[in-house]
Amino acid sequence: MKIWGREMIIEASAVEIAGKLFDTGGSMITIKEPLLHLIKDVINEINLESTDVTWSKYECTEELLNELRTYMDKILTNDDSVLQELKLCFAPTSSLQEISIENGWEDKFLEYAKRFEIIVIAGPRGL
């Protein structure tokens, strides 16, 4: 089958990458685990004492960490509303991207945003 157009090529490669992220060994496939791992990776970038959140919506680093933990709780309780919140979190010019730029991990943020996109777009639907 020939794939025409850039969107189809991108979607095809995202599906290929997603196949590496999701277990297809007969069990029910969800996006919970990949999302939880992604948020944990973001949390690991954040240093409570030295992370600068000046150019973000957060008053302090602890507020940011609490929000990320809340996302994890929502994922674990199958609250689909978290997907929309995470779309805003990993969007260009989001507070999280501003924090990454200010703290020297902007390239990592782009990797995380791409992972999020692959998980949500190419992965199974819903939590």
Side-chain angles (χ1 to χ4, degrees):
M1 176 177 141
K2 290 186 179 179
I3 299 176
W4 300 98
R6 185 171 188 270
E7 294 79 21
M8 292 300 289
I9 292 170
I10 291 170
E11 186 174 322
S13 65
V15 169
E16 183 180 309
I17 294 167
K20 297 174 184 171
L21 289 174
F22 301 104
D23 175 16
T24 58
S27 60
M28 185 173 164
I29 302 170
T30 70
I31 62 174
K32 276 185 178 181
E33 287 303 315
L35 281 177
L36 290 170
H37 285 290
L38 175 62
I39 295 169
K40 286 177 188 176
D41 288 346
V42 172
I43 288 171
N44 287 334
E45 294 293 337
I46 299 164
N47 182 309
L48 190 58
E49 287 80 34
S50 65
T51 297
D52 184 354
V53 295
T54 304
W55 298 106
S56 72
K57 67 178 185 175
Y58 305 103
E59 293 294 322
C60 63
T61 307
E62 190 60 42
E63 184 182 354
L64 166 61
L65 291 170
N66 286 338
E67 185 170 294
L68 293 170
R69 290 183 195 115
T70 298
Y71 294 153
M72 293 177 74
D73 290 341
K74 287 182 175 186
I75 292 167
L76 290 169
T77 59
N78 298 321
D79 183 346
D80 283 337
S81 69
V82 72
L83 296 176
Q84 187 60 37
E85 294 173 73
L86 288 171
K87 284 179 185 176
L88 296 174
C89 185
F90 288 102
T93 71
S94 67
S95 285
L96 190 56
Q97 185 177 33
E98 295 296 332
I99 291 166
S100 74
I101 291 168
E102 190 65 30
N103 292 280
W105 50 277
E106 60 271 13
D107 290 340
K108 282 289 221 183
F109 172 82
L110 295 176
E111 290 175 26
Y112 297 146
K114 184 63 177 174
R115 271 176 55 195
F116 174 77
E117 184 178 326
I118 290 168
I119 291 166
V120 172
I121 292 174
R125 300 295 177 244
L127 296 173

